[in-house]
Amino acid sequence: MLRLRLCMTVTLVLSLSPTSPPMKKTLLLALAAASLAACTPDAKTTDTAATTTDASTKAASDSVPPATPQYRPAYHFSPAAHWMNDPNGMVYYNGTYHLFFQHYPDGMEWGPMHWGHATSKDLVSWQEQPIALYPDSLGWIFSGSAVIDKDNTAGFGKNAMVAIFTHHNDPEEKKKTNKHQYQSLAYSLDEGKTWKKYAGNPVLPNPGIPDFRDPKVSWNEVAKKWVMTLATKDRITFYSSPNLKDWTKLSEFGEKLGAHGGVWECPDLFPLTLNGKTHWVLLISINPGGPNGGSATQYFVGQFDGRTFTPTTTTQKWVDWGKDDYAGITWGNTGARKIFLGWMSNWEYANQVPTSPWRNAMTAPRDLSLKQVGSEIYLTSTPVKEVAKIAQAGQTLNNLTVKPELILDGKIPALTPQFQLKMSTKQLQDFALVLGNAKGEELVIGYDKQANQYYIDRSKAGQMAFSDKFAGRHPAPRLATTPAADLTLLFDATSVEVFADGGLTTMTELFFPTQPYTTLKLKSASGLTVDALTYTKLSQEVK
């Protein structure tokens, strides 16, 4: 944080110096030079010369809009200031969840990427840490993963935390050689507090593929090697290594399978067990080409033999059908439990969302599991059990009849920015849950029985002029086949996450009301009986 404050001081000094007297200008420039030296990371691990011009130009053009504390999430991670996108390097070690993330610390829009860092003991309370990785002479620090090398296979030290990431060389990209992205290593011997980049970087040079990035690495017990799942333009390429430094290509997957509306990015590969049998899940983010426009994450369920991934079926499946869940991956080193976290935004408007002095947040962490419906095996997502830590005593209403509408104001406590709503019914019918405010703004979450779709409608939810891609009614198929249904909804300032039918259908969307929502009602033209509706305030300090 000291380094960040010094950098901010330099910006202020430079902005004042042109109007200063000559002697004062000289002194100010000298102070600026000294402060800049303090801002520059150790030359042994970082060389920012390659990005100084781009970064300073970008910083100069990025003004910070007026603060919007009313839009700050409480139990979803957001950086204290400036730009954030993909989650990176997610690993659990010694009781701490580490979250690294794509970060531009000098502006409100995407710029030269760094790895930001945050930690949590419980997945709902987050502490932002100093920046972990800075750009250097090899390039900006794009997405990647982190592992705990408990057997010291890389030689950095027993239980070293090793980051495997993509270097993005911007000058090389401008040359159009298609070799501007390659994979590199950094390691920490103090549980992520300080980092040193490997002198032999890059460990996986680019063979001539323009999009060659986002390595997700894990130890494979079958192969007895590290396996890297890498996004390579329009497919996934698997590599293996005994030591994280020397990589051998294993196989490719997906050239003609799945959605291909945009480049494949941010993959993940992990096992889950269903009815005693192990299946492998392959996550692949895509931009554009999502089911409701823009960016989204698809997945395949199949088998991985340590070398080749074979899907069980080729049915198109999405981790989250909403507009605002992208680039999600799972924490490493968590055993059989697989915990997912995504970036809660969409590339169609991520640079314009009206929050300040930060831009973008992460989804709530989610436990993943598998469920079979007919002949298909689906991934399910549910909020992590740790959310219960911030739950206050809930209020439950039973046997509610909704036709044509039921006003819930007065029947449940007054709405707060952070709350959980659970609803169950033995016979699902058309319904709409409507949150509103005094200005007539409305957020609608519902189910259309004829189309057999859940939906979120934010057409009148508040601010939307910042992008013509934001407003709309966004559907998701109901995958469950039972007449009974259950929904869990998480709200946090400007986001709603919908987990329907035990997480078979999941949706995440943002909204930006100009006044807080204060009213809540259920509507159903055909009539709906709600067996139980539980409202629970989620109490977490907004930082």
Side-chain angles (χ1 to χ4, degrees), residues 437-458:
N437 62 20
K439 294 192 70 173
E441 296 167 345
E442 292 184 342
L443 175 71
V444 184
I445 300 106
Y447 173 71
D448 180 338
K449 186 173 183 179
Q450 182 175 355
N452 195 30
Q453 292 177 334
Y454 293 105
Y455 63 88
I456 298 175
D457 190 340
R458 60 185 184 189

Side-chain angles (χ1 to χ4, degrees), residues 54-207:
D54 285 344
S56 60
T57 301
K58 182 73 173 171
S61 65
D62 266 348
S63 59
V64 178
T68 57
Q70 73 275 22
Y71 291 159
R72 171 77 74 174
Y75 59 93
H76 294 72
F77 175 73
S78 62
H82 300 125
W83 171 268
M84 178 182 74
N85 57 289
D86 308 355
N88 295 155
M90 290 162 45
V91 68
Y92 178 73
Y93 186 59
N94 278 350
T96 298
Y97 293 92
H98 292 266
L99 165 63
F100 301 89
F101 53 92
Q102 292 287 276
H103 185 43
Y104 181 46
D106 297 319
M108 293 288 289
E109 297 182 5
W110 189 92
M113 288 290 97
H114 302 54
W115 266 27
H117 185 200
T119 56
S120 177
K121 297 289 187 180
D122 59 11
L123 295 169
V124 291
S125 302
W126 292 94
Q127 292 76 45
E128 190 168 359
Q129 306 294 342
I131 291 172
L133 299 176
Y134 288 80
D136 57 32
S137 59
L138 290 176
W140 304 341
I141 313 299
F142 270 25
S143 291
S145 52
V147 299
I148 304 300
D149 189 7
K150 63 183 181 66
D151 296 322
N152 194 24
T153 64
F156 298 140
K158 184 176 176 61
N159 289 319
M161 186 179 291
V162 183
I164 309 96
F165 61 91
T166 298
H167 261 123
H168 177 92
N169 189 320
D170 192 53
E172 189 70 18
E173 181 181 23
K174 289 179 171 62
K175 296 177 185 175
K176 301 187 182 302
T177 63
N178 290 339
K179 294 186 177 183
H180 55 279
Q181 294 181 345
Y182 28 78
Q183 317 319 313
S184 295
L185 303 178
Y187 63 93
S188 172
L189 301 179
D190 55 8
E191 300 188 20
K193 295 180 179 67
T194 60
W195 290 85
K196 184 174 180 62
K197 291 180 184 144
Y198 175 49
N201 284 339
V203 295
L204 182 57
N206 193 318

Side-chain angles (χ1 to χ4, degrees), residues 395-401 406 411 424 529-534:
Q395 180 171 336
T396 299
L397 304 176
N398 296 308
N399 300 317
L400 300 174
T401 299
L406 175 65
K411 295 181 173 61
S424 62
T529 299
V530 178
D531 297 309
L533 184 147
T534 302

Side-chain angles (χ1 to χ4, degrees), residues 365-380:
R366 303 166 184 185
D367 279 309
L368 300 181
S369 58
L370 296 174
K371 184 171 184 177
Q372 185 159 350
V373 179
S375 61
E376 294 287 346
I377 297 175
Y378 291 99
L379 190 67
T380 65

Side-chain angles (χ1 to χ4, degrees), residues 9-67:
T9 302
V10 171
T11 302
L12 179 60
V13 167
L14 291 178
S15 67
L16 292 173
S17 58
T19 60
S20 305
M23 184 176 295
K24 187 175 181 181
K25 181 184 290 186
T26 301
L27 177 60
L28 288 171
L29 288 173
L31 287 170
S35 296
L36 279 170
C39 292
T40 305
D42 187 346
K44 292 180 181 178
T45 59
T46 303
D47 175 9
T48 57
T51 59
T52 299
T53 301
D54 285 344
S56 60
T57 301
K58 182 73 173 171
S61 65
D62 266 348
S63 59
V64 178

